[in-house]
Amino acid sequence: MADTKKAAGAAKKLKSGVQKIRAGKKIRTSVKFHRPRTLKLERKPKYPRKSMPNKTSLDSFGVIKFPLTTESAMKKIEDNNTIVFVVDVRASKPKIKDAVRKMYDIQAAKVNTLIRPDGQKKAFVRLTQDYDALDVASKIGII
């Protein structure tokens, strides 16, 4: 008799949705645990974590190292309207083009590059029709 009363009471509580919390323990209805969103304060460091800022990336003076004055480079100047430079390995073709424009006030039509066996990057800068490579080379001081 007592068991049936107990069962009836339990059934009644289940239907009403009242769940008793035992000694501060929450009854979980889901198997997933969702971490509560807590306060996130902004960082206020007492001192900078880096003693010096990062070194700036390549500028136009760091891109071009020097012009090549080999016999084959001279032939390119005369025949192909092209000046040959040794440039930084990290420099891209647009950066090389921009550096040539800034340093020597000349417009490059296109830039071809290759990595030499000694690890340096060589750039073949083809000039536009408006500029003569011989005049530019004499102005730079190659010839």
Side-chain angles (χ1 to χ4, degrees), residues 1-135:
M1 185 91 178
D3 291 337
T4 55
K5 265 190 177 176
K6 216 175 193 181
K12 189 178 173 189
K13 282 185 183 176
L14 273 173
K15 280 182 187 171
S16 67
V18 176
Q19 294 179 337
K20 193 174 182 184
I21 297 171
R22 186 184 342 132
K25 281 202 170 186
K26 181 183 171 188
I27 296 173
R28 303 215 167 260
T29 55
S30 171
V31 291
K32 292 188 173 106
F33 174 75
H34 295 288
R35 182 183 55 81
R37 302 253 192 287
T38 56
L39 180 67
K40 288 179 181 149
L41 295 172
E42 194 177 318
R43 290 183 176 187
K44 295 174 192 154
K46 301 281 188 252
Y47 63 93
R49 295 292 183 251
K50 291 173 115 181
S51 60
M52 289 190 61
N54 285 345
K55 209 166 121 179
T56 55
S57 59
L58 294 170
D59 60 336
S60 56
F61 294 104
V63 171
I64 297 174
K65 290 183 179 176
F66 55 88
L68 267 186
T69 55
T70 58
E71 202 172 310
S72 61
M74 292 302 160
K75 189 162 174 54
K76 286 234 182 269
I77 289 171
E78 293 161 7
D79 298 345
N80 302 345
N81 201 32
T82 302
I83 301 176
V84 185
F85 293 101
V86 172
V87 295
D88 196 287
V89 181
R90 297 167 293 170
S92 61
K93 289 181 183 184
K95 279 187 180 177
I96 294 166
K97 203 173 188 178
D98 194 45
V100 167
R101 185 180 53 76
K102 281 182 181 172
M103 287 179 71
Y104 303 117
D105 299 320
I106 52 175
Q107 203 67 38
K110 72 174 192 173
V111 177
N112 289 338
T113 59
L114 61 85
I115 306 282
R116 302 193 322 187
D118 65 353
Q120 292 182 317
K121 186 182 264 191
K122 195 185 335 185
F124 300 93
V125 180
R126 180 121 190 227
L127 305 181
T128 55
Q129 300 284 321
D130 309 335
Y131 300 97
D132 184 38
L134 270 169
D135 296 338

